[in-house]
Amino acid sequence: LLANAQTDGVFQLESAGMKQVLSKLSPSCLEDIIACVALYRPGPMDSIPEYLENSHHPEKVTYKTPLLKPILDVTYGCIVYQEQVMEIVRKLAGYSYGRADLVRRAMSKKKLDVMAQEREYFVHGKFDENGNLELPGAVRNGVPEKIANEIFDEMSSFASYAFNKSHAAGYAVVCYQTAWLKYYYPVEFMAALMTSVIDNNAKVTE
């Protein structure tokens, strides 16, 4: 049903653009639906062609460092979720959960001064006032400086639009439930759907 884009009345998946993505992707698991919900909005949309290509040709997926593989393999090498941004700064540069969330917020609100400071910490690490290493930074974890900067740039350009996976997952479950009801109980589903728009002649006709 979803791969054929027969999604009129299916929560979050009704638009013409979303139907195109579904038909090209042919989702086969809940993770695919979660990604569709997160990607089909301004900003992340730019990643859709790469996501589709990589989903059908996993051999084309590349990682700037092997440390990214466990974080991005579920999305075929693409950064899709805010949680992935947080996990990247944690795994590559040694951030705590709290500090990773500060970076996520700075990126989403485009706080340029904070981001410039965090770039330095992400790449080269941070010492406390007593000279003790507070967080190691990506270079100490074996990531070349140039690659670390490229990863930070990618996160920065993406994070201002990124969706959080927890939100997308909640949406995707309801997508799946409504699709399931439409497939197995089409008469009851369509009757309920038309009842919900009974005062809108155009929608009923549609």
Side-chain angles (χ1 to χ4, degrees):
L1 183 102
L2 296 179
N4 291 328
Q6 295 172 342
T7 52
D8 287 337
V10 176
F11 181 66
Q12 287 282 306
L13 304 181
E14 294 186 86
S15 73
M18 182 63 92
K19 287 178 179 179
Q20 279 189 331
V21 174
L22 289 168
S23 61
K24 289 176 182 174
L25 177 63
S26 295
S28 59
C29 60
L30 194 64
E31 282 284 356
D32 285 341
I33 306 172
I34 296 170
C36 281
V37 169
L39 284 168
Y40 196 75
R41 42 200 81 241
M45 269 182 161
D46 295 342
S47 299
I48 289 176
E50 183 185 358
Y51 184 91
L52 292 173
E53 180 70 14
N54 290 353
S55 71
H56 294 302
H57 302 282
E59 71 279 1
K60 292 185 176 180
V61 177
T62 58
Y63 302 98
K64 286 186 165 72
T65 166
L67 293 170
L68 290 176
K69 188 177 189 301
I71 302 169
L72 301 182
D73 60 349
V74 72
T75 49
Y76 311 110
C78 302
I79 300 176
V80 176
Y81 311 114
Q82 289 184 358
E83 287 91 337
Q84 286 174 315
V85 169
M86 292 176 64
E87 199 62 9
I88 288 169
V89 298
R90 280 181 37 47
K91 295 296 186 195
L92 272 64
Y95 278 59
S96 66
Y97 279 111
R99 192 170 191 96
D101 192 48
L102 289 176
V103 173
R104 177 196 63 77
R105 276 187 282 172
M107 287 179 171
S108 64
K109 293 177 180 174
K110 297 183 178 176
K111 293 184 175 177
L112 300 181
D113 54 336
V114 179
M115 284 164 57
Q117 184 66 76
E118 291 300 334
R119 175 192 293 275
E120 177 61 25
Y121 296 157
F122 175 77
V123 176
H124 296 113
K126 179 179 186 293
F127 291 87
D128 65 19
E129 61 273 14
N130 297 318
N132 300 312
L133 187 64
E134 199 171 303
L135 59 91
V139 171
R140 280 188 186 81
N141 286 330
V143 182
E145 183 177 358
K146 181 174 180 291
I147 297 296
N149 274 299
E150 287 175 6
I151 292 168
F152 195 89
D153 287 338
E154 196 176 327
M155 290 191 297
S156 298
S157 62
F158 168 79
S160 56
Y161 304 101
F163 211 56
N164 48 320
K165 186 175 184 179
S166 53
H167 196 155
Y171 275 9
V173 169
V174 182
C175 297
Y176 192 87
Q177 289 171 331
T178 51
W180 190 92
L181 289 167
K182 182 177 183 179
Y183 186 85
Y184 288 105
Y185 298 94
V187 175
E188 295 86 345
F189 183 87
M190 295 310 294
L193 183 61
M194 286 191 287
T195 300
S196 74
V197 293
I198 199 72
D199 296 327
N200 185 333
N201 286 342
K203 287 297 283 183
V204 173
T205 304
E206 182 190 327

